[in-house]
Amino acid sequence: MIWLSDHVRNEWRLYLMLLPTIIWFIVFLYKPMYGLQIAFKDYSIFKGVAKSPWIGWEHFQSLFTNDQFLRAVSNTIKISALNLLFGFPAPIILALMFNEVLHAGYKRAAQTIVYLPHFISSVIIAGIVITAFSPSVGIVNTVLGWLGFDSVYFLTKPEWFRPIFVGTGIWQEAGFGSIVFLAAIAGVNPSLYESAVVDGASRWQMMWKITLPSILPTIIIMLIIRIGNIMEVSFELIILLYQPATYETADVVNTFVYRQGLQSGQYDFAAAAGLFNAVVAFVLVMVANTLSRRYSRTSLW
Amino acid sequence: MSSVTLSDVEKYYGPLRVVHGINLEIESQEFVVLVGPSGCGKSTTLRMIAGLEEISSGTVSVDEKIINRVAPKDRDVAMVFQNYALYPHLKVFENIAFGLRIRKEPKDHIDKTVREVSEILGLTPYLDRRPAELSGGQRQRVAMGRAIVRHPKVFLFDEPLSNLDAQLRTQMRAEIKRLHKRLGVTSVYVTHDQVEAMTLADRIVVMNDGNIEQVGTPMELFMNPANRFVAGFIGSPPMNQFEGTLTANADGLFANVGNASIALPEINNVQHGQAVVVGIRPEHISIHPVDNLPSIPISLDLVEPLGSEALLHASIDNQPLIIKAETHGDIEHLKAVTELFAPTDLIKVFDKETGAVINSHPTGRIAS
């Protein structure tokens, strides 16, 4: 049996390389967990975390009677569901489409173009979206104008927020997200396709009967990760795109926590909302992993 | 059943010519093995027959119908791949049925055919398993099942046994041969293993650098190789080859290899002093005196016992040679060997420059 200390002594170079990540986890993820206790306290910045008095589940009781919070939970789930429904298959479809492109130059150019939005800051992405949907100079309204429709101020209409948000997410991330599926496709044994060609399969049949089943384990792993992040709707982009007029459909748990905690100074209440979010996410990822392991023999752990 | 004809078939990858205009007639029901070292163009040739590679020039015909522009699925060929090409997510039954499902055959026909083929290949107990749950030999059988189930005109095998261990390879080789006897389908088999070629083939095609070196039955190639390449490729161990010069005297024709003199069969159109390569198979060499044959002194390096036989590694004039000798249960007497006797009739003489055989008659002396 090898003791940890012996292992560290022998493999100290590897541990040294691991160190920055461990420090990052401690500083940014584990140490802040100490502050989670304020979700159960009447927190005062003057008394500090340790000396603020315990009040039990009071903040959670307030949360579940707070209409804004319940609306935020509902919005989070709805936006995440839309993201899962449209945003999750998008990179898979894109990867399958790239796989069918035979012209190498065209394929490279197309891939570069769809990867690009991922590298653009969310602030700029939001700027582009706001401009594109602007009622006066936006391309969308210009085109609507050509078609004889009246201008619509999309970003102030609650019913338009979710389609715009989900669409923007797909535009920004589908290309980059397709890389992992393209890598999985590249790992498929080429003789499976050759064998299918001799058997008479069309490209469409090969995609359905070979490519998709072959990359299914990767799809499942990505789905588990996605489900784990279901409560983590892209916070920056929502902050940048939403406005009080669209809170009705746009306000999610994270933006609610941001407003309550940082803007209104209710740190304890916001911590309770954040903790609730984290617990739900934890349960979701556990359930998804267990179901996946049971039914598809593929799991994260 | 179907014949396959290759006429002046060439394959280029950009400017690189990998198959140099080969011509080959494969008769109906024949089992032809393409054999050669890696990169000789044998797999490319097979893939051109399958339609997986485009033919740069020349024609490939099945039953005298040119199939250059016919899609692989319409060529009515079935291929067995080196790494089996089984679909990991499908069970054995579905793997075998794949080609039939793609062709939208009726369900009961698929079921009946797959079960028949599974019975032939002994796969019936494994139909519900996935490929990962099978042994190498079973996977290979499933791959063959996928080919057989379509009742194709031609079977193509691309090194199907090279991923198996030696014992299983021998077993599967026999199974393939039995299967060919039973089904009688024209088969083209690619391998770099000359033992596989010798044991399976009706005819062997030896390829090198994109050219066909020789086509013939296994015994033709063994007894009468067309050139030094074939002599060195067919046979295990391969034919011994020594460089020497021709001399003639009253006793006949000889090759001088250093201080040794090897008696040769009579050959026409050769010159005194001509540089030649003398070839003799390890199994044809005798270590016991034979009437009228001159003794050839050797220096013995090593004896490798194989059981009933042993390989004697020796040299003549610093040119290596291998002798296959019977052990009679003991190798001690082989360690004292100092001379050999080479039966004149079985010696092949090759031109040193071209490598082509000079005495092409399979056996017996050529009259002067």
Side-chain angles (χ1 to χ4, degrees), chain B residues 30 33 39 54 78 86 149-151 156 163 199 205 211 223 239 249 259 284 296 306 312 321 339-340 352 354:
Chain B
E30 200 178 14
V33 175
E54 242 177 73
L86 301 181
V149 81
R150 281 181 32 217
H151 299 299
L156 305 173
N163 284 359
T199 49
V205 178
N211 293 300
M223 295 304 291
M239 185 180 271
N249 61 29
N259 295 327
H284 293 160
I296 302 166
L306 299 175
L312 279 58
L321 105 142
E339 57 180 3
L340 65 78
K352 195 186 167 193
T354 63

Side-chain angles (χ1 to χ4, degrees), chain A residues 189 191-192 194-202 205 209-210 213-214 297, chain B residues 47 52 72-73 77 81 83 85-87 89 98-99 102-103 130 146 150:
Chain A
N189 180 356
S191 60
L192 294 186
E194 291 182 337
S195 171
V197 164
V198 176
D199 278 343
S202 63
Q205 285 172 319
K209 291 180 185 290
I210 301 173
S214 299
R297 286 180 285 179
Chain B
R47 292 165 63 83
L52 296 172
K73 68 183 169 77
V77 299
F81 291 83
N83 50 16
L86 301 181
Y87 304 117
H89 54 282
F98 188 84
I102 290 286
R103 281 156 201 261
R130 284 179 211 279
R146 288 190 48 180
R150 281 181 32 217

Side-chain angles (χ1 to χ4, degrees), chain B residues 10-176:
Chain B
E10 286 190 312
K11 178 66 189 174
Y12 282 88
Y13 289 117
L16 182 71
R17 190 160 69 146
V18 292
V19 176
H20 296 216
I22 61 172
N23 290 288
L24 182 64
E25 290 267 357
I26 300 166
E27 287 167 22
S28 178
Q29 303 198 0
E30 200 178 14
F31 198 114
V32 166
V33 175
L34 307 184
V35 68
S38 298
C40 71
K42 55 190 189 301
S43 282
T44 310
T45 306
L46 190 81
R47 292 165 63 83
M48 285 194 283
I49 299 173
L52 296 172
E53 296 281 353
E54 242 177 73
I55 300 159
S56 304
S57 75
T59 58
V60 173
S61 316
V62 173
D63 285 340
E64 294 172 9
K65 182 189 163 215
I66 294 175
I67 55 164
N68 286 35
R69 302 248 162 249
V70 177
K73 68 183 169 77
D74 301 323
R75 294 186 180 200
D76 210 358
V77 299
M79 190 155 166
V80 179
F81 291 83
Q82 181 176 356
N83 50 16
Y84 321 128
L86 301 181
Y87 304 117
H89 54 282
L90 297 182
K91 291 181 175 170
V92 169
F93 184 97
E94 287 304 321
N95 261 291
I96 297 175
F98 188 84
L100 301 177
R101 288 218 194 282
I102 290 286
R103 281 156 201 261
K104 300 201 164 45
E105 301 270 354
K107 219 179 155 200
D108 49 345
H109 170 71
I110 294 175
D111 197 63
K112 185 169 161 269
T113 319
V114 171
R115 289 191 189 281
E116 271 171 16
V117 168
S118 310
E119 201 58 48
I120 293 173
L121 293 165
L123 287 170
T124 310
Y126 311 110
L127 287 176
D128 276 336
R129 293 199 191 168
R130 284 179 211 279
E133 295 158 346
L134 300 178
S135 70
Q138 288 163 344
R139 282 181 213 178
Q140 190 53 61
R141 277 204 284 271
V142 178
M144 288 199 289
R146 288 190 48 180
I148 296 168
V149 81
R150 281 181 32 217
H151 299 299
K153 283 182 178 174
V154 182
F155 278 138
L156 305 173
F157 297 89
D158 189 5
E159 308 210 22
L161 305 184
S162 55
N163 284 359
L164 303 179
D165 63 50
Q167 200 182 349
L168 205 52
R169 208 179 304 165
T170 313
Q171 196 185 323
M172 288 304 294
R173 215 164 55 201
E175 277 192 36
I176 291 177

Side-chain angles (χ1 to χ4, degrees), chain A residues 92 95-97 99 180-189 193 211 215 218:
Chain A
I92 301 170
L96 291 172
M97 282 162 66
N99 190 45
V180 65
F181 298 108
L182 272 173
I185 291 171
V188 180
N189 180 356
Y193 295 106
T211 312
I215 66 168
T218 310

Side-chain angles (χ1 to χ4, degrees), chain A residues 290-301:
Chain A
T290 309
L291 289 178
S292 168
R293 192 170 45 205
R294 186 168 302 166
Y295 296 110
S296 73
R297 286 180 285 179
T298 306
S299 59
L300 267 178
W301 67 88

Side-chain angles (χ1 to χ4, degrees), chain B residues 224-240:
Chain B
N224 195 19
N227 53 42
R228 290 183 64 188
F229 179 82
V230 177
F233 199 82
I234 298 292
S236 176
M239 185 180 271
N240 295 300

